[in-house]
Amino acid sequence: MSRTRPGSQNQIGFFGVGWKSVYEVSDRPQIHSGAFHFEIAHVSMPRAIAPRANEGHANETTLVLPHHDEVDPRVLTEKALAIPAETLMTLPHLSRFSVGGVGTKGVPHVEARHGSRVSLSSASTDRVYEIAEDSVPIDGGHSPLVVAASVRADDSLGRRAEPGLFAFLPTAERTGVPVLVHARFEVTLDRERLEGGSARNRELLEAAGRRYADLVARVADEGRAVLDALPVPSEVSELVAPLTAALRDSLFDVPCLPGADGRRV
């Protein structure tokens, strides 16, 4: 573990999210990573411990959370298993994670990248996304930005299910927009909602709308259908109005939909 400067591209913690939150469920979290095996008590006191039996690959890291007595391990496991594979698209230094707990073995989620295309494998489910990424200068630092559209078997873009807004982990916001959007948004303390009235969030959503337009234009230029990846105005939440306005303005004179004569309009 290491400290990073505020705004660093390698920093994922933001607005109170980080290691301290682990102590809400565990007094002595354990880390097994390569040759290192230790636990950390009282937030900042490391102590060497024995390696785990049947340890995984040398380049993997395992986090073990011996839970507090008042924590229901089944509820904790259920919440951990609910973390979607799409989270890998928001964490650039991870390509695989596995979650296990009471009554279940580790459930692996694996990401494979090929240019602007991302494949996600999770148990028996495979999903493919077309992505657009950026690093947005903001508040004296930078925020990563990801817009991801679902790719169907026929290579056209389709709609994806909510949640659509991520701040490294999924929020509870429902956008009505058929793509995934991730940035270092300002969120509420429970990380379930975006902070209302935030100038930072507005700026990031506008940047997401422009990258969304870039993605749609690029895919349409390849002759692939994009209609189902575009938002339906009556379904869109007011929360993401800055995004949809930027998308509309950016695509205003971009031919991306098929016309009656077969040419794009």
Side-chain angles (χ1 to χ4, degrees):
M1 293 184 293
S2 63
R3 295 185 63 184
T4 51
R5 295 188 303 276
S8 166
Q9 281 294 87
N10 294 321
Q11 178 182 353
I12 65 170
F14 198 56
F15 291 109
V17 175
W19 184 247
K20 289 183 180 179
S21 62
V22 171
Y23 292 90
E24 294 295 318
V25 297
S26 179
D27 289 322
R28 294 177 178 270
Q30 301 173 2
I31 297 92
H32 302 269
S33 183
F36 299 97
H37 306 274
F38 58 97
E39 64 180 12
I40 303 178
H42 308 296
V43 182
S44 60
M45 298 176 61
R47 184 178 72 88
I49 58 177
R52 282 166 50 88
N54 302 318
E55 197 62 49
H57 299 296
N59 62 347
E60 291 185 344
T61 296
T62 300
L63 174 65
V64 181
L65 302 177
H67 58 81
H68 300 318
D69 290 341
E70 62 270 23
V71 172
D72 186 336
R74 295 186 181 277
V75 172
L76 187 61
T77 298
E78 181 179 344
K79 290 183 176 181
L81 289 172
I83 298 173
E86 282 75 6
T87 305
L88 285 166
M89 291 191 287
T90 76
L91 302 173
H93 301 298
L94 288 182
S95 60
R96 180 183 185 275
F97 73 89
S98 180
V99 177
V102 177
T104 180
K105 294 183 178 179
V107 177
H109 303 292
V110 181
E111 176 194 68
R113 293 199 174 211
H114 308 281
S116 63
R117 183 162 293 203
V118 175
S119 299
L120 298 175
S121 298
S122 179
S124 59
T125 303
D126 294 323
R127 295 184 291 283
V128 179
Y129 288 91
E130 193 77 32
I131 65 171
E133 297 179 285
D134 200 356
S135 176
V136 182
I138 191 167
D139 294 342
H142 287 77
S143 169
L145 177 65
V146 178
V147 178
S150 178
V151 178
R152 296 190 180 115
D154 64 359
D155 228 21
S156 65
L157 298 188
R159 303 179 68 83
R160 72 170 301 278
E162 302 275 12
L165 279 183
F166 280 58
F168 296 103
L169 291 172
T171 70
E173 298 285 12
R174 296 298 181 262
T175 67
V177 175
V179 297
L180 178 152
V181 176
H182 158 65
R184 191 176 282 139
F185 294 111
E186 286 185 329
V187 293
T188 54
L189 288 177
D190 62 6
R191 296 193 62 78
E192 293 293 306
R193 303 290 175 186
L194 268 61
E195 287 284 7
S198 165
R200 178 192 180 91
N201 288 347
R202 181 178 186 85
E203 188 172 341
L204 288 171
L205 286 168
E206 289 173 346
R210 292 189 290 271
R211 296 293 79 74
Y212 189 174
D214 291 344
L215 187 157
V216 169
R218 166 166 46 86
V219 172
D221 196 50
E222 295 170 357
R224 296 156 58 194
V226 299
L227 180 60
D228 287 343
L230 294 172
V232 177
S234 61
E235 298 177 359
V236 174
S237 165
E238 182 63 26
L239 173 73
V240 293
L243 181 153
T244 53
L247 172 67
R248 180 189 63 237
D249 292 346
S250 298
L251 289 179
F252 181 76
D253 57 358
V254 177
C256 59
L257 299 177
D261 60 359
R263 293 184 297 178
R264 295 198 307 274
V265 295

